[in-house]
Amino acid sequence: MEASEAMRVNRALNKMSKLYREAKARKLAALGLHPGQDVLLWILAQEPDGMTVSQLAARLGIEPPTATRSLARLEKGGWFRREPVPSDRRQVRIVVTDAGHELLPGIERAWAELAEETMGDAGTEQREITLVTLERANDRLRGLVGDEVLAQE
């Protein structure tokens, strides 16, 4: 790849990353959430009986202490409750409350709006090419750095 093309790729990806994160942050702020909290809450809500912090961390691909910190930031919203695990007094299950479940349509709407706004008037074929290209690029980058970078979000 020529230097000018490499610079163009780097500039476009850096700019997109920053702009996408900021646009997502603004949409989530309207719901009282920060980027990353949306995914955490959505994943928790998929388990009606809740899950332990360790299970949540594994599902997110992060370490349990990171999940604990993320939950602490979310806790004041009243979107989940902690319940003791009867078979293991050391653990608690994190269960999404009704208030948390009420946020889910807003989260999904924010994701859909952001995807639509990002892709704009691109046709079906252009969208598919873009998605396949981005997914392949993500796979190559994951091979270079692993999944731990995603856990820092």
Side-chain angles (χ1 to χ4, degrees), residues 26-37:
R26 289 180 184 188
K27 287 191 178 295
L28 293 176
L31 300 172
L33 297 171
H34 296 283
Q37 293 177 332

Side-chain angles (χ1 to χ4, degrees), residues 126-138:
Q126 285 179 306
R127 287 179 184 215
E128 185 61 24
I129 290 168
T130 300
L131 289 172
V132 167
T133 301
L134 289 171
E135 288 166 349
R136 286 180 180 165
N138 282 333

Side-chain angles (χ1 to χ4, degrees), residues 71-92:
L71 287 167
R73 289 185 212 112
L74 262 180
E75 195 159 17
K76 60 184 163 223
W79 297 313
F80 68 87
R81 67 181 177 277
R82 297 172 192 266
E83 295 180 354
V85 174
S87 61
D88 186 348
R89 291 183 172 193
R90 297 169 296 159
Q91 292 195 0
V92 295

Side-chain angles (χ1 to χ4, degrees), residues 4-148:
S4 62
E5 185 180 10
M7 285 178 61
R8 186 175 173 204
V9 168
N10 280 291
R11 192 173 319 127
L13 290 174
N14 283 326
K15 198 177 285 187
M16 178 176 226
S17 176
K18 289 176 185 176
L19 291 169
Y20 190 86
R21 185 164 177 86
E22 180 58 29
K24 184 177 183 182
R26 289 180 184 188
K27 287 191 178 295
L28 293 176
L31 300 172
L33 297 171
H34 296 283
Q37 293 177 332
D38 54 330
V39 175
L40 187 147
L41 192 58
W42 190 87
I43 286 174
L44 273 173
Q46 305 313 300
E47 296 294 331
D49 297 328
M51 61 180 76
T52 65
V53 174
S54 297
Q55 291 169 328
L56 176 62
R59 186 85 54 93
L60 290 168
I62 61 177
E63 294 297 318
T66 304
T68 299
R69 284 191 302 276
S70 297
L71 287 167
R73 289 185 212 112
L74 262 180
E75 195 159 17
K76 60 184 163 223
W79 297 313
F80 68 87
R81 67 181 177 277
R82 297 172 192 266
E83 295 180 354
V85 174
S87 61
D88 186 348
R89 291 183 172 193
R90 297 169 296 159
Q91 292 195 0
V92 295
R93 295 188 75 68
I94 309 301
V95 181
V96 175
T97 62
D98 289 342
H101 282 286
E102 289 171 10
L103 269 182
L104 295 181
I107 290 170
E108 291 171 350
R109 186 171 41 259
W111 291 347
E113 287 173 3
L114 189 54
E116 191 65 40
E117 292 163 358
T118 300
M119 297 304 280
D121 62 357
T124 303
E125 187 176 338
Q126 285 179 306
R127 287 179 184 215
E128 185 61 24
I129 290 168
T130 300
L131 289 172
V132 167
T133 301
L134 289 171
E135 288 166 349
R136 286 180 180 165
N138 282 333
D139 289 343
R140 286 191 297 277
L141 290 170
R142 191 175 294 110
L144 294 172
V145 301
D147 285 330
E148 57 273 359

